[in-house]
Amino acid sequence: MVISTIGGEHYLTPEFLTYKDKNVYDFIISRYNNVSFYATGRDAIFRIVEVVRDRILWLPDFLCESIYKPLKKSGVAVKFYHVKDDFRDQGTDKVRKTDFVYIINYFGLVDEALFRFENTIVDITHSFIIFDNDFNYTGKISICSLRKLLPIPDGALLAGYVKIEPTYEIRQSFVEKRTFGLLSRYYSYLNKFSSDENFYVLKEAEKLLDQSGTYGYSMSYLSQNLLKCVDFQQIAQKTKENYDYLKMKLKKHYPGFSQYFPVVFSSREERDNARQKLGKKGIFCPVHWDTSFLGVSNDLSDRIMSIPCDYRYGVSHTGKIINILGG
Amino acid sequence: MVISTIGGEHYLTPEFLTYKDKNVYDFIISRYNNVSFYATGRDAIFRIVEVVRDRILWLPDFLCESIYKPLKKSGVAVKFYHVKDDFRDQGTDKVRKTDFVYIINYFGLVDEALFRFENTIVDITHSFIIFDNDFNYTGKISICSLRKLLPIPDGALLAGYVKIEPTYEIRQSFVEKRTFGLLSRYYSYLNKFSSDENFYVLKEAEKLLDQSGTYGYSMSYLSQNLLKCVDFQQIAQKTKENYDYLKMKLKKHYPGFSQYFPVVFSSREERDNARQKLGKKGIFCPVHWDTSFLGVSNDLSDRIMSIPCDYRYGVSHTGKIINILGG
């Protein structure tokens, strides 16, 4: 069993346990207003009901189930606009002035035209890493799943024109499992991923979260401190190098920059073949996102694949991927 | 609320996450035969039923409930011998050649005469730290609760003339809670113990263990790797310096050496007063052990107190304790 050598969960290393001068925590506090720290993206998203209330919330039809699920639970009335395979939107002409528009920054690419609307909620999980402010669009409300892109057990941010506080304390069992898993994963990584102790426990944590019907939990004290242990510029710079290298070597690419390099294939079959080929070599490329839960097929969803290119990797990793994909 | 500045649980620091050349794991493997790694001391102790079987096991009447509980559960027939207030034993003349004798090394002090018996099980939790081999007595079977003396979420060893394997996989929820707790505690420690996130979760972990009626669980892959991150000589040397300093400054002391410096007061009242005085200053001195669960009062148990003097501390800590106790 190849557990993974590229992709998959982050891991906690000794380097990411010592406070840094220029750290992610300070960056967040200085850049965003009225920041609240939540356990997960889902916990934060659920709480935007506080501002949306009885208005309409327009969602893109290319999105993650973990965005949709808490919104459905919150009772917010939603409508959809279409996202085309160049990540541009269609159908937002029906949006009224008082409506809210949920904008996802896709791999650092966002349709600027969407910012003509007053009530924007921007998902910046893919663009958080962008250190050039001009391209990191924020909304009236901004949301970021921090735990997805940093070596921390839990964490998401909700920020904007008003402070929206978490409802509950921490997601105890979830964050305990993830702390144990991320630390155990570090030693597995040092030993060529020979132990799967982390694999099962991290999977269980996600299952717990998926099964949870309650949202609005806080980020742990531990993870808030771990945010102070990540040198923001350093990981952003490293990610940028990887992204640019992939961009240079792979023919098809989109403008943008994130911790994932998106590749859109000409068919689902071609995409699945590529994923399988990479998977056999221990390279795990996720699909952002499988939208089958919406009941309608999205063209992008069928053909997209994300190549991990975050701070953990270098040319030895991206080069391996390029060799397999054949440029 | 003073959570603690001296004593209480260990914490995981970045230093204790990097592999060391001369580490505790290698020390254990080189020094002991047929080593098995268990989740807790209780898990290891329960499994000695494999060798004791239908023989009598003699226990000292000065012991921890967590030694007694799993033995009772295992169905082993026990008898008691007395331990006097100089830590010497009494009443072992009734022990037969085929019986087993459980010997606790008290703070590095053990009655050599007990080793005239063939079937010895020695609890080396207090003496594990002794690097001078002459004083670190081992038995036919040796047991050590590693998690009590090192910065690891779980871990105990069982070693001796025969290999006794764990029955179950890891104590999942217990080790997850402890990993989260020990790491969160590190950041609380850095911030003058201002967060109690670790306190409650570590307490819960012990409660889980206390409520568990099943024993024989394995040590996690994570903690086995963390054993490789502790420089044995370094922590032993530091502990020795602290122990010797207390020995020099406090009038009453016993020969021996461990991660705790035992003080025996003239009365229970005097002991309790001293503990309270120290507690108010954030210095947590445990009692090894309260034997009230046995139904008979032990003279030592009523009057003893343990001063933590492990690798985490230095003269600034021990000096504070001496000032409060008044030498």
Side-chain angles (χ1 to χ4, degrees):
Chain A
M1 179 191 187
V2 180
I3 299 168
S4 95
T5 54
I6 300 175
E9 295 281 358
H10 294 252
Y11 29 83
L12 275 167
T13 73
E15 188 202 335
F16 288 119
L17 294 180
T18 55
Y19 288 146
K20 303 296 183 296
D21 282 340
K22 288 187 171 181
N23 61 63
V24 172
Y25 186 90
D26 291 346
F27 168 78
I28 290 170
I29 297 300
S30 69
R31 181 172 168 82
Y32 300 96
N33 296 320
N34 298 307
V35 176
S36 287
F37 289 105
Y38 285 82
T40 70
R42 280 169 252 197
D43 288 299
I45 287 164
F46 177 79
R47 296 284 292 137
I48 62 174
V49 68
E50 287 284 318
V51 293
V52 178
R53 293 181 182 275
D54 50 3
R55 315 266 191 96
I56 301 287
L57 176 63
W58 289 81
L59 291 178
D61 68 353
F62 183 50
L63 83 173
C64 182
E65 189 172 6
S66 60
I67 297 172
Y68 185 63
K69 231 174 129 180
L71 284 173
K72 210 175 148 191
K73 178 87 185 174
S74 76
V76 163
V78 300
K79 285 190 179 177
F80 286 93
Y81 64 91
H82 182 53
V83 175
K84 296 180 290 178
D85 72 353
D86 59 357
F87 300 100
R88 302 277 159 184
D89 62 279
Q90 199 169 47
T92 50
D93 49 317
K94 289 168 200 155
V95 177
R96 291 170 309 177
K97 199 177 155 35
T98 54
D99 294 349
F100 276 82
V101 184
Y102 197 99
I103 302 168
I104 298 177
N105 190 316
Y106 299 107
F107 309 100
L109 183 64
V110 68
D111 196 341
E112 287 170 49
L114 284 168
F115 288 89
R116 69 185 183 275
F117 299 112
E118 197 188 329
N119 300 319
T120 55
I121 294 162
V122 185
D123 192 322
I124 57 168
T125 304
H126 279 178
S127 59
F128 180 83
I129 200 85
I130 302 176
F131 44 95
D132 177 347
N133 283 354
D134 294 347
F135 291 98
N136 187 350
Y137 296 98
T138 58
K140 196 165 176 179
I141 297 285
S142 295
I143 287 175
C144 179
S145 173
L146 299 165
R147 75 176 183 104
K148 291 277 178 68
L149 62 110
L150 299 169
I152 51 174
D154 65 341
L157 78 83
L158 186 62
Y161 75 103
V162 64
K163 190 163 175 87
I164 308 171
E165 301 269 16
T167 322
Y168 304 110
E169 297 290 308
I170 62 172
R171 272 194 187 273
Q172 197 134 356
S173 189
F174 172 80
V175 71
E176 288 161 9
K177 278 187 193 305
R178 293 222 357 122
T179 307
F180 176 71
L182 296 189
L183 209 49
S184 181
R185 187 168 169 81
Y186 171 56
Y187 296 99
S188 184
Y189 152 73
L190 290 181
N191 296 290
K192 297 179 182 172
F193 289 106
S194 57
S195 162
D196 54 15
E197 183 175 84
N198 72 91
F199 184 76
Y200 294 104
V201 74
L202 290 170
K203 222 169 148 181
E204 265 178 54
E206 292 308 311
K207 209 170 137 187
L208 266 184
L209 181 60
D210 286 342
Q211 289 168 345
S212 165
T214 319
Y215 305 100
Y217 288 90
S218 305
M219 187 178 184
S220 63
Y221 172 81
L222 169 60
S223 292
Q224 288 192 45
N225 274 277
L226 291 175
L227 284 181
K228 297 177 186 167
C229 298
V230 181
D231 181 325
F232 186 64
Q233 283 275 24
Q234 195 186 8
I235 68 156
Q237 190 56 48
K238 190 84 200 133
T239 306
K240 184 97 176 78
E241 281 166 29
N242 293 332
Y243 196 95
D244 286 347
Y245 189 76
L246 286 165
K247 211 161 154 178
M248 188 177 74
K249 294 286 183 179
L250 293 174
K251 281 163 213 147
K252 289 177 188 174
H253 58 76
Y254 296 88
F257 160 47
S258 90
Q259 62 272 25
Y260 287 107
F261 185 92
V263 185
V264 181
F265 292 84
S266 54
S267 71
R268 186 181 185 121
E269 198 189 352
E270 205 191 315
R271 190 267 314 267
D272 292 347
N273 282 343
R275 273 188 91 201
Q276 211 174 15
K277 224 157 80 180
L278 290 162
K280 277 181 185 160
K281 301 280 184 186
I283 300 158
F284 176 66
C285 295
V287 166
H288 294 105
W289 298 273
D290 178 356
T291 58
S292 55
F293 67 93
L294 285 178
V296 286
S297 165
N298 179 293
D299 194 35
L300 258 180
S301 173
D302 280 346
R303 300 190 284 123
I304 203 167
M305 179 183 88
S306 304
I307 300 175
C309 60
D310 60 62
Y311 65 88
R312 288 173 289 177
Y313 310 116
V315 175
S316 69
H317 302 93
T318 45
K320 200 175 159 190
I321 294 164
I322 288 158
N323 281 341
I324 296 167
L325 285 179
Chain B
M1 181 191 185
V2 180
I3 298 168
S4 95
T5 54
I6 301 176
E9 295 281 358
H10 294 252
Y11 29 83
L12 276 166
T13 74
E15 187 203 336
F16 288 120
L17 294 179
T18 56
Y19 288 145
K20 303 295 183 299
D21 282 339
K22 287 187 171 181
N23 62 62
V24 172
Y25 186 89
D26 291 344
F27 168 77
I28 289 170
I29 297 299
S30 69
R31 181 174 168 83
Y32 300 96
N33 297 319
N34 299 306
V35 176
S36 286
F37 288 106
Y38 285 82
T40 69
R42 279 169 253 196
D43 287 298
I45 287 164
F46 176 78
R47 295 285 292 138
I48 63 174
V49 66
E50 287 283 319
V51 294
V52 177
R53 293 184 181 273
D54 50 5
R55 316 265 192 98
I56 301 289
L57 175 64
W58 289 82
L59 292 177
D61 68 353
F62 182 50
L63 83 174
C64 182
E65 190 170 7
S66 60
I67 297 172
Y68 184 64
K69 231 174 129 180
L71 284 173
K72 209 176 150 190
K73 177 87 185 171
S74 76
V76 162
V78 299
K79 284 189 179 176
F80 285 94
Y81 64 90
H82 182 54
V83 175
K84 295 180 291 178
D85 71 354
D86 59 357
F87 298 101
R88 303 279 159 181
D89 62 280
Q90 199 170 45
T92 49
D93 50 316
K94 288 170 199 153
V95 176
R96 292 169 310 176
K97 198 176 157 32
T98 54
D99 294 350
F100 276 81
V101 185
Y102 197 100
I103 302 167
I104 297 176
N105 190 316
Y106 298 106
F107 309 100
L109 184 65
V110 66
D111 196 339
E112 289 171 46
L114 284 167
F115 288 89
R116 69 185 183 277
F117 299 113
E118 198 188 327
N119 300 318
T120 54
I121 294 162
V122 185
D123 192 321
I124 57 168
T125 303
H126 280 178
S127 59
F128 180 84
I129 200 85
I130 302 177
F131 45 95
D132 177 347
N133 283 354
D134 295 346
F135 291 99
N136 187 349
Y137 296 97
T138 58
K140 196 165 175 179
I141 297 285
S142 295
I143 286 175
C144 179
S145 173
L146 298 165
R147 76 177 183 105
K148 290 278 177 68
L149 62 111
L150 299 168
I152 50 174
D154 65 342
L157 78 82
L158 187 61
Y161 75 103
V162 65
K163 191 162 174 88
I164 308 172
E165 302 269 16
T167 320
Y168 304 109
E169 298 289 310
I170 64 172
R171 273 193 186 274
Q172 198 133 358
S173 188
F174 172 80
V175 72
E176 287 161 11
K177 279 186 192 304
R178 290 218 5 118
T179 307
F180 176 72
L182 296 189
L183 210 50
S184 180
R185 187 168 170 82
Y186 171 55
Y187 296 100
S188 184
Y189 153 74
L190 289 182
N191 296 292
K192 298 181 182 173
F193 289 104
S194 58
S195 161
D196 54 14
E197 183 175 83
N198 72 91
F199 184 77
Y200 293 104
V201 73
L202 290 170
K203 221 169 151 181
E204 265 178 53
E206 291 308 311
K207 209 170 138 188
L208 266 184
L209 181 61
D210 286 343
Q211 289 168 345
S212 165
T214 318
Y215 305 100
Y217 287 89
S218 305
M219 186 177 182
S220 64
Y221 172 81
L222 169 59
S223 292
Q224 287 191 45
N225 274 278
L226 292 175
L227 284 182
K228 297 177 185 166
C229 299
V230 181
D231 181 326
F232 186 64
Q233 283 275 23
Q234 196 188 5
I235 67 155
Q237 190 58 47
K238 190 84 200 131
T239 306
K240 183 101 176 76
E241 281 167 29
N242 293 333
Y243 196 95
D244 286 348
Y245 189 77
L246 286 165
K247 211 160 153 177
M248 189 176 74
K249 295 285 184 179
L250 294 173
K251 282 163 211 148
K252 287 177 190 174
H253 58 76
Y254 297 88
F257 160 47
S258 90
Q259 62 271 27
Y260 287 108
F261 185 92
V263 185
V264 181
F265 292 85
S266 54
S267 72
R268 184 178 186 123
E269 197 189 353
E270 205 191 314
R271 191 266 315 267
D272 292 348
N273 283 342
R275 275 189 89 201
Q276 211 173 17
K277 224 157 81 182
L278 290 161
K280 276 180 186 161
K281 301 281 183 184
I283 301 159
F284 176 65
C285 295
V287 167
H288 293 106
W289 296 275
D290 178 356
T291 58
S292 55
F293 65 93
L294 286 177
V296 286
S297 163
N298 179 292
D299 193 35
L300 258 180
S301 173
D302 281 347
R303 300 190 284 122
I304 204 166
M305 179 183 89
S306 303
I307 300 175
C309 61
D310 60 63
Y311 65 89
R312 287 174 288 178
Y313 310 115
V315 174
S316 69
H317 301 93
T318 45
K320 198 174 160 192
I321 294 165
I322 288 159
N323 281 342
I324 295 166
L325 285 180

